[in-house]
């Protein structure tokens, strides 16, 4: 277990988290190398000898150190912007190991991706196809593409992270796909490689995935009948994780569902959350305890600026004390909130805890969509990120300085 208790202290690998809080201050993100790597290997092992490719979804956590560790394991990467392209290349990834997703790729982003020799561009509209064909012609290269289809499947997750429903902006309606594939197959500068889809995130049920596989296979058969050959089928993001009491499927069961795909196709997946989610925590310190007529507030030094998931999706993150409570601790049912001037600024509601001002807490399972969604609202510097490898600490990103925040702003003469 990467995060566990030893003699009452919450540990990450061999290091007490309170030592990290003391050394780097709070708020602070902490990751476990062992957990990150085990999560990647769990997918890889579940596929066994079946031809597959894991493209880690960089959006979940794009720190260079994490990307580099995954690249060393042989991971590919799913990127959604020119920024993420630059990031993965800086982390040592090869262009061929990248898939470029996203509904609004700019000309420059497409150009840079082609120049980097990207493995596949998942195209999301007819307009994007013609833009891409034009750029490929200008550059004199062939653009490898898959179309991201929208299978109109309900993933049974939060509406903000559902992406494969008809009303979502993502993908191409299934009925439009054959005509677009035909057009693409005839365009010079375009090389059709596969079919892509992604129905949503935090998936805890296999049946929408099975429905999606069936839809993709039906389209693949139709395309093959039209004489269009495909190399891979990309099923999008990975499994959900356990934040509270969810029971995400086992990797083996997930791969069994994907194995309905005939052997002649390479299976591609783009997991993000399940690679980094449980490999990271956010450390925070209680600044004040404040009692109002109806509430016990624990006002923490982390806020929605460091972890926006509770405010944005009403997401639930476990809260753990780093050390056994002090004798003077007050047991109550607390709302954990931050210093930001928004009533949506909360980290957790109604948790039974014994707290004192100064107590340090960990918000669990914060490795995915945590730091990457952090903001500077209220001119708050973003926290440091520390990666633990056994008993060794690596500061993989220092705390932002105030000069990083407004040093480039210019006043009028
Ligand atoms: N591929 C595509 C095309 C995606 O849109 C996503 C996530 C993934 C892969 C990775 O999915 P995962 O394996 O992480 O489920 N900020 C939200 C999550 C947004 C996910 C968006 N797309 C949250 O904090 O829950």
């Amino acid at each position: 277990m990467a995060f566990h208790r030893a003699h009452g202290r919450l540990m990450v690998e061999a290091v007490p988290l309170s030592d990290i809080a003391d050394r780097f201050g709070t708020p602070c993100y902490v990751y476990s190398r062992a957990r990150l790597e085990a999560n990647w290997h769990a997918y890889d092992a579940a596929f066994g000898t079946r031809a597959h490719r894991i493209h880690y979804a960089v959006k979940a956590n794009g720190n260079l150190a994490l990307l580099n560790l995954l690249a060393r394991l042989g991971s590919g990467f799913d990127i959604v912007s020119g920024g993420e392209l630059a990031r993965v290349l800086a982390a040592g990834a090869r262009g061929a190991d990248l898939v470029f997703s996203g509904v609004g790729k700019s000309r420059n982003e497409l150009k840079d991706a082609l120049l980097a020799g990207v493995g596949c561009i998942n195209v999301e509209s007819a307009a994007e196809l013609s833009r891409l064909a034009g750029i490929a012609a200008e550059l004199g290269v062939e653009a490898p593409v898959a179309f991201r289809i929208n299978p109109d499947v309900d993933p049974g997750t939060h509406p903000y992270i559902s992406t494969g429903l008809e009303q979502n902006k993502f993908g191409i309606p299934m009925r439009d796909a054959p005509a677009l594939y035909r057009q693409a197959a005839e365009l010079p500068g375009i090389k059709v490689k596969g079919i892509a889809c992604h129905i949503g995130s935090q998936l805890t049920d296999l049946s929408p995935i099975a429905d999606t596989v069936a839809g993709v296979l039906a389209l693949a058969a139709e395309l093959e009948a039209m004489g269009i050959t495909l190399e891979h089928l990309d099923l999008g993001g990975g499994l959900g994780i356990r934040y509270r009491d969810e029971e995400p499927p086992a990797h083996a069961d997930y791969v069994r569902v994907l194995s309905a795909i005939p052997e002649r196709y390479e299976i591609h997946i783009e997991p993000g959350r399940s690679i980094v989610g449980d490999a990271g925590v956010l450390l925070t310190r209680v600044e004040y305890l404040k009692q109002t007529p109806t509430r016990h507030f624990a006002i923490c030094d982390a806020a929605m600026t460091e972890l926006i998931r509770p405010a944005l999706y009403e997401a639930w993150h476990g809260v753990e004390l780093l050390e056994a409570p002090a004798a003077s601790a007050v047991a109550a049912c607390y709302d954990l909130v931050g210093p930001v001037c928004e009533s949506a600024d909360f980290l957790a509601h109604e948790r039974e805890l014994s707290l004192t001002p100064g107590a340090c807490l960990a918000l669990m399972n914060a490795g995915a969509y945590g730091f990457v969604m952090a903001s500077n609202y209220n001119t708050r510097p973003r926290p440091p990120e520390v990666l633990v490898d056994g008993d060794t600490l690596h500061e993989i990103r220092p705390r932002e300085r105030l000069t990083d925040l407004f040093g480039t702003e210019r006043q009028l003469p």
Side-chain angles (χ1 to χ4, degrees), residues 307-318:
L307 183 65
I308 202 176
R309 302 193 69 257
L312 194 54
Y313 316 113
E314 296 180 310
W316 192 98
H317 286 265

Side-chain angles (χ1 to χ4, degrees), residues 57 59 78 161 198 201 237-238 270-273 309 313 369 373:
K59 64 170 80 71
D78 167 50
I161 54 176
H198 172 77
S201 195
E270 304 164 356
R273 189 190 307 272
R309 302 193 69 257
Y313 316 113
Y369 308 110
M373 296 180 82

